[in-house]
Structure formats: structure tokens, C-alpha cells
């Protein structure tokens, strides 16, 4: 059994309430930080822990914090990104719903470290019931002196607000989130300047994922050294994985980074193997934006080493043969899954969610969706496949925000690894569009 | 002052200048095209990606290249920066891709579009695009909308450069104009056809790079290349009163603000000047306006040879020989 740092008490009866949470050691990090540490010491602790951002990009959290500009006379803000809308990722919701006080504790300790006096949790609009849970927990924290003026007599004051989004995936992108929080249309900003210099209301701001912030209390309470003992290399600590798709036990798992992918998929402690006794075809390891990998490449790297659940191991081989840990949305597809249909579904999502500011993403996402739709429904031509690769390339790297990349990568990767399946759809439209028909390699002999 | 090298040419500019403006200081062929950036509008730029360039060296201090192409219109220069535009094949290929993206949902209805002949998208695709298209899908369309009695919005032609949005925000008194929806379904909305009625609303027509916002008082009246642009002014209590009259014979077909060689408005004008003074006697006419670009506007009289216009480079088949005997022989000295 791996260690559980975030979810140890998640099934304790009443853990959503302040009293029960407190009885199980909750808010210890606030006491420790505010009474015995300076803000700089907290930042150093987080730096030393090796914690990397859990929102997708994996940027070291302590380093991000130390970049925060500190000009005179300007407030600084901490904003928690709880917009979680990436298909296949549902860990933040689980954490907030079950352990609202953990996030609030993390917000207080982190805000103290950053010198923020007002902080925000920007939550996905569809999660209104979670917002209610958080608001209730925040009220409890105020009532018990952990929020508001002069927290625990330390002289440090903090106000915490929860703000719901309006239902746009793009508002999870940190600068679009800030625009939205300011009450504007959620268009990503041009960068630089980065939020660390010019963030919310033009003030220095740190945006962090829910899980990143929820990890801070453990690090501060137990020490960075203890945290860094867990994991492999530069992937320290534990990570929440949203496991979904054709597995026996979908759900959110807290794993120690470094668990072999094979163990994660097949052991009963985690996913419990592929459902219905089927074989596995492919996996998306880090949320819908990261490249899909076929069974052979997700279990072993191109060099034949076991693939581990770490940032480094999953990205081994670059995009040619690797992928990314991303946000930890782990999506398993069995051998009855149609990759073309799946790719079309993702393309449809990104087409729908593009903010439309920059031309390659606005136009290219729609184009890819339409071409994929044609191929899936038996109207594709061979040159369409290369066209898709070319359009994806025209988007990638040429846009304002990473949504363009996120839309391009899944299409490019699906064709990179499953080109034969796309070709089969083009060559045999009647068979490909027959109800329930799925390509398999054996079939390609007939093709 | 900082020094940068742009396409092998050294130029000195003030700190904080964008790469695009540094290139404009050099001028001529090396200047990247800009479809959304607009100098008078704060916050504009970064959207169309037409101006992407390669930064081959970030600065003298940190000479590493930037990993991605950058939007030259919003990226400030650093001392010792080395930038590649026309000298970098990647940049040119990417730009071709941007043209393609901007055109896939464009109606290509230039023959019936009032903007034809002074359209940035026409120029952009002519200079940087390919002649064919790989797009076989249905194009998205929108209904035409009247924005008040004077302006028409033909959203199907819009490239979402946001210039009109910034204009409505920054130079008109109240904002009823923004973007609704997202992705390729995003549209310039006026919040349920709320009329933009204020003294400066007409400027959205001038800033629009395409034929999405057009002057209803000029609608289908003429092709711009048949009209002669004349600089003129009047005493106007609301604006500078400095305009361009687009004349056919002695008739004023339309009135616009004056634009520089990058098609950017020099001084915004009021609606009264734009819409209500179509009588030449209302104006002091200064003389013919010089149109700098290789525009069809400067070719507004086929019969009168203008001497020494240089060959327009980049046009397919635009060698001297190709053009010699065509009606498009712009009177260059042969
Ligand atoms: C289109 C898009 C959507 C995103 N959605 C989320 C999200 O829902 N939650 C999140 O934490 N980060 C999201 N991100 C990443 C954020 O921009 C940002 O990097 C992250 O919140 C930083 O937190 P971290 O350093 O703790 O990982 C998204 C990025 C993009 C480009
Ligand atoms: S890449 Fe897409 S989502 Fe991001 S700013 Fe551009 S159009 Fe908007
Ligand atoms: S209507 Fe014209 S100015 Fe406005 S966004 Fe569209 S193209 Fe740009
Ligand atoms: S002009 Fe620079 S991105 Fe449009």
C-alpha cells in the first residue's frame, strides 16, 4: 500500500466539518507556519519538497512562488484553480467535495507564504454543490478564527472567496481565469507579462491547482525532507490520478509517484485490470490533451524499460514514443474502442472550447473536427489523414495559449500511433460505419 | 536605445518598442504583416498570428533563441536581439498556414464586397498565401446585421481581430459592442442588435481590416478603385475634421479617416464628418492623397500612366514582361 498524504482521512465520518477535520490533525500547518515560521521559510520548505504543479504543466511550485514580484504598495493574490474541466480529470472535485477543509488549510498556509491578504478559489461553474460545501467550510474556518482578521493572534489576516466560473473550459487557463475573475470575457492574455508580475487586477498573482495547494499543509506540517523521500527522482510525493475508461475499478487514486504503469492498471489496489476480460488497446495518461499511447508504449518505453507513473518516465521518448503525466487524467481504452471515433470526440471538445481569439486555434480546431467527422462517418479520403497532421502542425506552437497545442496533440498522436486504423476507415467505409464495428489488427490482413 | 538585427538589418529603437515597430522603422519588404495589431488601439494585437517571427537570439545577455515563433506586434525588443522574418522559411510557411486558416471560413465574396481593393485580407492572402485551398467542408455563415442606420455588420467576413471592439471600448462613449460566443462561432455582437449610436461609432468601419463592417451610405455605390481619394478638411467642433474624400467626378462617394501606409487611422473622425457631409463644398480640398501601398487604389485610373511605380514584388507572375501588355501595366517605365 502506498502512503496517502492527502486522502488518509477521506473516509472518516464527518471529515467535511471543521471539528472532525481538526481532530484528525487539520490546520496544523496553519498553526505551525503562522506561529513558528516566516513566509520565506514556508516558500523554502515548499521549494525543498520538490512539489510540482498538479494542474498539468508540472512546474515546480516553490519556484513559481519565489518568482512572485513584490512591488511596494500593491497587494498580492493567491488564486486557486478549481476549474477542472479537462475530459478524463476529476480529482480536484473529489478532493474538494470530500475534504473541503484541506483545501482551505492549504489556501491559508500558502497565502501566508506569499503575503496575500485576499485569496480566491475559482471553481468550475458546474460544481455548484461543491461550491456550497466550500462556502460552508469557509464559514466554519472564519468562525474558528482561521480566516479573517489576525488569525490565531499572529497578526496575519486573510479573506477567502469562492467564485464560480461560467462553464468554459478555457477559463482553466490561468490568464483566462484571471480575466473571468475580474468579470470580463475569459480570453487568455498575451504573455508576457506573466501573472507573477501582472495578474489579478494588474497585481502580482500566483495561480495554483487545487491539488498543489492541498499538498502544502502536509509538506509544512511534516517537513520537506519527509515529503521528498516519497517518489522517484524529480517526481516527489504523491499524486491523485483520475482513473477512468474501460477498467474494472474507475475512481480517484492517490499514488506514490513511481508506481509502474502496469501495476497501476492491473493491480487490484488501483484500476483492477481491463473490464470484461478484454485486452487493452491504448491509454491517455494525463488528461485529454496529452498524446495517446498504444499498449506497448504505455507499459514499456521505446528502450524497453518499465514505464513508471512519474513526470520523467511518462515523457520518456518525447512525443514520438512518449506522453505526459499532465493533470493525471488516466484514461484506459480496451480493444473494442474505435480510435477514430475517440479522436473525433476529443476534437469536437476542443473545437467547442476554443475561445476563438487566435486564428490557428479558432479555425483549425473546427477544421480538424469536420475532417475527423467525415472519416468516422465513412466519407474520408486518404489525403485527409495527412491533412489532419498538417493542420495540427499549423496550430501547434502558434497560438496565444496552450489550448491550441492541447487540441493538436491528441489528433497528431492518434495518427502517429494508429494510422492503420484511420486508413481502414477510409478504405472500408461500409465496414467502418457498421454498428459496433471496430478495427483490429487481424482485420487489416483482409484490408 | 537598444539595437536589434532584423532580417540581417541593424536598427536602433527605443527600449520597450515591439519587434513589429522596429521592423517598421526599417520599412519596406521586411515588415511583417499585421491583421489585428493597430497602433492607436491599446491592447490590440497578438490574435491573428500573421506577424509571427523567429527570434534567433533573445538578447545580447541571453542569446538563446526563443523556442516558439513569437507575435512581433506584442513582443518587446531586447538589446542584441536577432529576429528573422522573410529570411526564415519556417516563418514564411507558418504565415502561409495563417492565411489558410483565415480563409477557410471566409466567404471569398470579394466581387460583391465593398472592401475589395482596400482589404487587408486580400493583400495578406495575395502576398503570403497559396492560390488553392485544401478546405472541403461547409463554411460557417452568419446573417447580416444592421448596426444602426449607418453601419452594416457582415459577420461571415469577420476575422475576429477585435479592432472594432477596442475602438468601441476606447473611443466611443459607451460600450455596446463586444464578442459573443466562442471559437469559430464567436461573433461581434452588439448585445441584441443594440444600436451603436454615438458620435464616433463610424470609426469601427475604418479599423475593420475586411468587409465585415461597412458604410451603409456607400454600400454598392462604387468600387474603391474607381474613386479618387482626396485629402480634405473642415472646421469640426467634434473631431480634427481631417478626412479623405473618395470622389468620383465631382461627387463625394464616401468619407473616411486618413490612414497611414499600414492602413492605420491617423486621427479618428466623427460621424458627422463621415456621414453627413457628402457635398464637396463642405470641405477644403487639399489635393490628391498619396496611397503608398501597392494597392489597386493607387491604380484608380488605368488610362493615365503613372511613372516609375516599382514592380510590385511577390505577386504571382508579376515580372515586368508578364505585365507589359496587360491593362494592369501600372505605367511603369519600360
Ligand atoms: C486550456 C487550459 C485549461 C486548463 N485547465 C486547468 C484546470 O482546470 N485546472 C488547473 O489546475 N489548471 C488548468 N490549466 C493549467 C493552468 O493554466 C495553470 O498552469 C495551473 O493552474 C497552474 O497550477 P499548478 O502550477 O499548481 O499546476 C489549464 C491550462 C489550459 C491551457
Ligand atoms: S489558443 Fe485557442 S483558446 Fe487559446 S487563446 Fe487562442 S483561440 Fe483562445
Ligand atoms: S468586424 Fe472587422 S474589425 Fe471587428 S473583429 Fe471583425 S474583422 Fe475585426
Ligand atoms: S498583428 Fe500580431 S498577431 Fe495580429
Amino acid at each position: 500500500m502506498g502512503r496517502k498524504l492527502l486522502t488518509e482521512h477521506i473516509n472518516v465520518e464527518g471529515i467535511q466539518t471543521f471539528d472532525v477535520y481538526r481532530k484528525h490533525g487539520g490546520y496544523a500547518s496553519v498553526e505551525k507556519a503562522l506561529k513558528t515560521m516566516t513566509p520565506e521559510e514556508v516558500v523554502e520548505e515548499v521549494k525543498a519538497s520538490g512539489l510540482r504543479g498538479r494542474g498539468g504543466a508540472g512546474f515546480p511550485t516553490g519556484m513559481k512562488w519565489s518568482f512572485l514580484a513584490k512591488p511596494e504598495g500593491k497587494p498580492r493574490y493567491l488564486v486557486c484553480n478549481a476549474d477542472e474541466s479537462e475530459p478524463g480529470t476529476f480529482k480536484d472535485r473529489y478532493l474538494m467535495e470530500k475534504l473541503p477543509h484541506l483545501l482551505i488549510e492549504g489556501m491559508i498556509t500558502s497565502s501566508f507564504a506569499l503575503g496575500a491578504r485576499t485569496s480566491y478559489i475559482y471553481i468550475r461553474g458546474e460544481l455548484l454543490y461543491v461550491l456550497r460545501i466550500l462556502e460552508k467550510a469557509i464559514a466554519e474556518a472564519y468562525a474558528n478564527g482561521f480566516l479573517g482578521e489576525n488569525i490565531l493572534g499572529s497578526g496575519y489576516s486573510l479573506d477567502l472567496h469562492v467564485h464560480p466560473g461560467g462553464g468554459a473550459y478555457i477559463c482553466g487557463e490561468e490568464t483566462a481565469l484571471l480575466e473571468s475573475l475580474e468579470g470580463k470575457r475569459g480570453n487568455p492574455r498575451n504573455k508576457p507579462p506573466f501573472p507573477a508580475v501582472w495578474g489579478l487586477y494588474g497585481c502580482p498573482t500566483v495561480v495554483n491547482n487545487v491539488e498543489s495547494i492541498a499538498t502544502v499543509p502536509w509538506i509544512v506540517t511534516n517537513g520537506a525532507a519527509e515529503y521528498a523521500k516519497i517518489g522517484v527522482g524529480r517526481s516527489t510525493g504523491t499524486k491523485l490520478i483520475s482513473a477512468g475508461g474501460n477498467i474494472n475499478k474507475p475512481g480517484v487514486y492517490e499514488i506514490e509517484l513511481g508506481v509502474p504503469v502496469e501495476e497501476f492498471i492491473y493491480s487490484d489496489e488501483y484500476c483492477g485490470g481491463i473490464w470484461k476480460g478484454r485486452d487493452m488497446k491504448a491509454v491517455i495518461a494525463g488528461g485529454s490533451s496529452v498524446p495517446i499511447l498504444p499498449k506497448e508504449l504505455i507499459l514499456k518505453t521505446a528502450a524497453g524499460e518499465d514505464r513508471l507513473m512519474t513526470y520523467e518516465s511518462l515523457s520518456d521518448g518525447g512525443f514520438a514514443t512518449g506522453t505526459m503525466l499532465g493533470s493525471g487524467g488516466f484514461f484506459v481504452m480496451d480493444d473494442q474502442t474505435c480510435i477514430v471515433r475517440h479522436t473525433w470526440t476529443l476534437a469536437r471538445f476542443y473545437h467547442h472550447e476554443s475561445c476563438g481569439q487566435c486564428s490557428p486555434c479558432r479555425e483549425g480546431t473546427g477544421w480538424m473536427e469536420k475532417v475527423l467527422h467525415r472519416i468516422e462517418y465513412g466519407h474520408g479520403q486518404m489525403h485527409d489523414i495527412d491533412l489532419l497532421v498538417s493542420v495540427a502542425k499549423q496550430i501547434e506552437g502558434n497560438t496565444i495559449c496552450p489550448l491550441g497545442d492541447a487540441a493538436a496533440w491528441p489528433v497528431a498522436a492518434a495518427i502517429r500511433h494508429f494510422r492503420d486504423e484511420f486508413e481502414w476507415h477510409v478504405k472500408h467505409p461500409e465496414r467502418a460505419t457498421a454498428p459496433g464495428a471496430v478495427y483490429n489488427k487481424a482485420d487489416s490482413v483482409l484490408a | 536605445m537598444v539595437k536589434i538585427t532584423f532580417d540581417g538589418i541593424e536598427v536602433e529603437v527605443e527600449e520597450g518598442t515591439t519587434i513589429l515597430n522596429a521592423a517598421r522603422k526599417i520599412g519596406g519588404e521586411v515588415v511583417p504583416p499585421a491583421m489585428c495589431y493597430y497602433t492607436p488601439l491599446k491592447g490590440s494585437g497578438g490574435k491573428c498570428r500573421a506577424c509571427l517571427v523567429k527570434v534567433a537570439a533573445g538578447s545580447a545577455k541571453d542569446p538563446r533563441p526563443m523556442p516558439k515563433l513569437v507575435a512581433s506586434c506584442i513582443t518587446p525588443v531586447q538589446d542584441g536581439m536577432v529576429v528573422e522574418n522573410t529570411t526564415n522559411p519556417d516563418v514564411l510557411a507558418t504565415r502561409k498556414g495563417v492565411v489558410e486558416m483565415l480563409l477557410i471560413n471566409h466567404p471569398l465574396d470579394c466581387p460583391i464586397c465593398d472592401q475589395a481593393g482596400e482589404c487587408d485580407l486580400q493583400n495578406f492572402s495575395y502576398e503570403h498565401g497559396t492560390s488553392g485551398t485544401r478546405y472541403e467542408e461547409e463554411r460557417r455563415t452568419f446573417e447580416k446585421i444592421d448596426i444602426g442606420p449607418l453601419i452594416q455588420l457582415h459577420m461571415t467576413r469577420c476575422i475576429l481581430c477585435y479592432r472594432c471592439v477596442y475602438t468601441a471600448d476606447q473611443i466611443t462613449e459607451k460600450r455596446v459592442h463586444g464578442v459573443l460566443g466562442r471559437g469559430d462561432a464567436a461573433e461581434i455582437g452588439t448585445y441584441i442588435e443594440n444600436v451603436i449610436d454615438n458620435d464616433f461609432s463610424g470609426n469601427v468601419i475604418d479599423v475593420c481590416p475586411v468587409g465585415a463592417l461597412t458604410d451603409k451610405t456607400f454600400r454598392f455605390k462604387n468600387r474603391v478603385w474607381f474613386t479618387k481619394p482626396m485629402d480634405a478638411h473642415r472646421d469640426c467642433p467634434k473631431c480634427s475634421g481631417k478626412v479623405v474624400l473618395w470622389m468620383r467626378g465631382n461627387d463625394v462617394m464616401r468619407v473616411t479617416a486618413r490612414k497611414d501606409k499600414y492602413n492605420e487611422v491617423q486621427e479618428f473622425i466623427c460621424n458627422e464628418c463621415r456621414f453627413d457631409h457628402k457635398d464637396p463644398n463642405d470641405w477644403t480640398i487639399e489635393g490628391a492623397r498619396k496611397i503608398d501601398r501597392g494597392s489597386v487604389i493607387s491604380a484608380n485610373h488605368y488610362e493615365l500612366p503613372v511613372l516609375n511605380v516599382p514592380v510590385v514584388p511577390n505577386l504571382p507572375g508579376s515580372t515586368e514582361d508578364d505585365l507589359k501588355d496587360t491593362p494592369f501595366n501600372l505605367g511603369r517605365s519600360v
Side-chain angles (χ1 to χ4, degrees):
Chain A
M1 269 294 260
R3 292 178 71 180
K4 309 272 183 262
L5 313 187
L6 303 179
T7 57
E8 189 185 351
H9 303 299
I10 205 157
N11 290 320
V12 171
E13 179 79 23
I15 195 75
Q16 287 187 327
T17 62
F18 180 85
D19 292 339
V20 178
Y21 180 74
R22 187 91 173 103
K23 220 174 280 160
H24 284 82
Y27 289 101
S29 74
V30 176
E31 284 188 302
K32 182 172 176 188
L34 268 57
K35 290 187 175 161
T36 68
M37 296 169 84
T38 64
E40 293 73 29
E41 282 167 351
V42 180
V43 174
E44 283 310 313
E45 205 63 25
V46 172
K47 234 188 201 170
S49 73
L51 171 66
R52 293 167 68 172
R54 304 302 195 212
F59 191 83
T61 304
M63 193 153 19
K64 187 187 245 184
W65 288 11
S66 62
F67 288 160
L68 186 68
K70 301 197 164 84
E72 279 296 309
K74 259 194 180 184
R76 303 190 280 276
Y77 294 105
L78 171 65
V79 177
C80 171
N81 188 342
D83 192 53
E84 190 173 63
S85 324
E86 174 128 321
T89 310
F90 41 84
K91 62 183 176 82
D92 295 343
R93 180 189 70 185
Y94 176 72
L95 203 62
M96 291 187 287
E97 185 182 340
K98 300 275 190 177
L99 289 168
H101 282 287
L102 178 62
L103 177 60
I104 294 164
E105 179 181 350
M107 286 300 286
I108 301 167
T109 307
S110 308
S111 299
F112 170 73
L114 297 168
R117 295 302 162 100
T118 308
S119 295
Y120 296 89
I121 299 171
Y122 182 95
I123 189 167
R124 175 175 178 177
E126 288 87 343
L127 303 183
L128 259 187
Y129 72 103
V130 183
L131 178 136
R132 300 264 145 73
I133 293 171
L134 285 173
E135 280 183 336
K136 207 165 139 203
I138 287 174
E140 282 184 303
Y142 269 105
N144 287 281
F146 279 87
L147 280 172
E149 293 294 317
N150 193 15
I151 297 170
L152 304 179
S154 66
Y156 175 67
S157 309
L158 175 70
D159 282 313
L160 180 59
H161 304 280
V162 196
H163 187 93
Y169 168 63
I170 191 57
C171 290
E173 195 280 337
E174 56 188 15
T175 58
L177 184 156
L178 295 175
E179 287 284 296
S180 170
L181 196 52
E182 288 179 9
K184 303 180 190 146
R185 180 184 160 87
N187 278 358
R189 296 176 182 167
N190 287 313
K191 282 155 281 198
F194 291 94
V197 177
W198 184 271
L200 189 63
Y201 306 114
C203 300
T205 302
V206 165
V207 181
N208 269 135
N209 173 257
V210 170
E211 188 187 345
S212 313
I213 291 173
T215 306
V216 170
W218 199 94
I219 293 171
V220 171
T221 306
N222 300 281
E226 202 55 34
Y227 186 81
K229 276 186 201 156
I230 307 168
V232 179
R234 286 181 55 235
S235 299
T236 59
T238 64
K239 171 95 189 78
L240 296 179
I241 304 291
S242 325
N246 307 142
I247 48 176
N248 283 318
K249 292 170 58 197
V252 177
Y253 296 99
E254 181 171 5
I255 61 160
E256 289 188 13
L257 286 168
V259 172
V261 172
E262 183 156 8
E263 179 185 336
F264 183 71
I265 298 173
Y266 291 103
S267 91
D268 275 337
E269 195 181 329
Y270 305 113
C271 303
I274 313 303
W275 74 349
K276 301 181 185 173
R278 288 183 189 160
D279 197 6
M280 175 167 77
K281 185 177 204 170
V283 168
I284 295 175
S288 63
S289 313
V290 310
I292 187 173
L293 286 184
K295 180 181 177 183
E296 314 80 72
L297 283 174
I298 188 68
L299 297 179
K300 301 240 187 258
T301 65
E305 286 165 20
D306 280 346
R307 200 85 65 196
L308 309 179
M309 298 288 279
T310 63
Y311 292 96
E312 293 78 20
S313 177
L314 282 169
S315 58
D316 184 283
F319 276 8
T321 58
T323 179
M324 285 161 74
L325 179 59
S327 59
F330 196 90
F331 199 85
V332 180
M333 283 165 259
D334 69 14
D335 56 5
Q336 298 297 301
T337 311
C338 173
I339 297 293
V340 175
R341 188 168 189 85
H342 155 79
T343 309
W344 167 55
T345 305
L346 288 188
R348 195 166 49 142
F349 172 77
Y350 288 107
H351 175 206
H352 188 256
E353 298 298 336
S354 162
C355 84
Q357 256 190 117
C358 45
S359 11
C361 171
R362 176 183 67 240
E363 306 295 343
T365 50
W367 193 359
M368 290 195 301
E369 192 218 320
K370 287 178 185 145
V371 174
L372 282 162
H373 181 268
R374 265 200 293 113
I375 297 176
E376 167 63 9
Y377 284 92
H379 305 290
Q381 291 167 287
M382 273 307 168
H383 66 245
D384 284 336
I385 300 169
D386 286 329
L387 176 67
L388 284 170
V389 175
S390 159
V391 174
K393 191 158 164 274
Q394 267 165 243
I395 302 172
E396 187 188 343
N398 295 327
T399 55
I400 294 176
C401 88
L403 188 139
D405 301 338
W409 291 342
V411 176
I415 297 176
R416 187 180 310 129
H417 298 299
F418 297 94
R419 185 180 270 269
D420 49 347
E421 194 159 337
F422 285 84
E423 290 177 351
W424 182 77
H425 273 71
V426 172
K427 275 195 223 149
H428 304 287
E430 12 22 84
R431 281 183 21 226
T433 52
V438 177
Y439 167 82
N440 63 58
K441 283 247 193 285
D443 204 22
S444 68
V445 181
L446 307 169
Chain B
M1 296 294 267
V2 295
K3 211 184 263 175
I4 73 157
T5 311
F6 191 99
D7 273 353
I9 306 167
E10 275 200 2
V11 60
E12 227 182 352
V13 291
E14 257 167 63
E15 212 158 318
T17 308
T18 59
I19 297 175
L20 178 71
N21 281 329
R24 284 183 176 182
K25 196 167 173 199
I26 300 170
E29 282 304 294
V30 297
V31 182
M35 297 297 293
C36 68
Y37 172 77
Y38 210 66
T39 312
L41 298 173
K42 214 171 127 251
S44 66
K47 299 190 195 303
C48 69
R49 317 308 280 177
C51 69
L52 291 179
V53 292
K54 174 75 190 174
V55 175
S59 66
K61 255 193 252 138
D62 180 2
R64 283 174 305 171
M66 292 191 182
K68 295 177 184 178
L69 303 186
V70 301
S72 60
C73 65
I74 50 166
T75 309
V77 294
Q78 307 283 341
D79 196 36
M81 190 184 250
V82 178
V83 185
E84 296 168 356
N85 178 30
T86 58
T87 50
N88 186 309
D90 261 1
V91 170
L92 298 179
T94 303
R95 195 164 289 152
K96 217 170 246 183
V98 172
V99 175
E100 183 174 37
M101 294 294 186
L102 284 179
L103 289 180
I104 62 173
N105 275 311
H106 191 79
L108 303 175
D109 59 346
C110 310
I112 55 154
C113 176
D114 278 334
Q115 190 89 358
E118 56 175 7
C119 174
D120 288 349
L121 186 58
Q122 270 185 329
N123 294 339
F124 181 48
S125 47
Y126 206 45
E127 284 161 25
H128 301 281
T130 47
S131 52
T133 179
R134 300 183 293 170
Y135 191 71
E136 300 169 22
E137 326 302 322
E138 199 175 315
R139 286 165 199 261
R140 70 145 155 51
T141 53
F142 295 89
E143 294 290 321
K144 292 190 198 85
I145 299 176
D146 284 331
I147 305 184
L150 302 168
I151 305 169
Q152 185 167 67
L153 170 63
H154 196 341
M155 186 58 215
T156 310
R157 294 175 184 151
C158 169
I159 60 162
L160 279 174
C161 69
Y162 279 64
R163 284 180 186 173
C164 59
V165 177
Y166 290 114
T167 308
D169 243 3
Q170 290 169 27
I171 69 160
T172 68
E173 274 168 14
K174 58 179 180 188
R175 177 179 172 165
V176 282
H177 190 91
V179 175
L180 301 179
R182 61 178 181 238
D184 59 13
E187 55 181 303
I188 299 300
T190 54
Y191 303 149
I192 333 287
E193 303 191 23
N194 208 338
V195 175
I196 316 183
D197 61 347
N198 65 65
D199 288 341
F200 284 81
S201 65
N203 289 294
V204 298
I205 301 168
D206 281 346
V207 302
C208 184
V210 296
L213 289 165
T214 49
D215 180 342
K216 278 173 68 182
T217 67
F218 180 60
R219 222 169 126 61
F220 300 142
K221 287 245 173 77
N222 231 301
R223 307 300 327 205
V224 293
W225 56 88
F226 292 138
T227 60
K228 277 194 240 169
M230 308 291 277
D231 280 347
H233 65 265
R234 63 183 272 272
D235 265 342
C236 176
K238 291 184 197 145
C239 68
S240 70
K242 292 183 187 155
V243 303
V244 181
L245 304 180
W246 297 78
M247 312 211 29
R248 178 124 193 207
N250 285 329
D251 297 332
V252 175
M253 306 308 299
R254 66 170 178 158
V255 182
T256 69
R258 296 183 189 176
K259 296 187 183 182
D260 65 12
K261 63 177 158 189
Y262 300 112
N263 263 348
E264 288 176 359
V265 165
Q266 290 164 319
E267 278 174 288
F268 290 110
I269 60 168
C270 72
N271 283 359
E272 196 188 326
C273 286
R274 183 186 303 272
F275 297 118
D276 300 338
H277 292 276
K278 298 284 172 74
D279 182 342
N281 295 324
D282 290 352
W283 299 95
T284 309
I285 295 182
E286 298 162 21
R289 179 156 188 84
K290 207 166 156 276
I291 303 282
D292 290 294
R293 281 198 151 189
S295 157
V296 289
I297 300 170
S298 54
N300 57 356
H301 3 243
Y302 300 137
E303 68 285 1
L304 280 180
V306 189
L307 291 180
N308 290 325
V309 178
V311 174
V312 184
N314 289 335
L315 303 188
S318 67
T319 61
E320 297 249 349
D321 280 349
D322 288 343
L323 293 177
K324 209 168 4 187
D325 300 318
T326 68
F328 300 104
N329 179 357
L330 308 182
R332 68 184 63 72
S333 49
V334 194

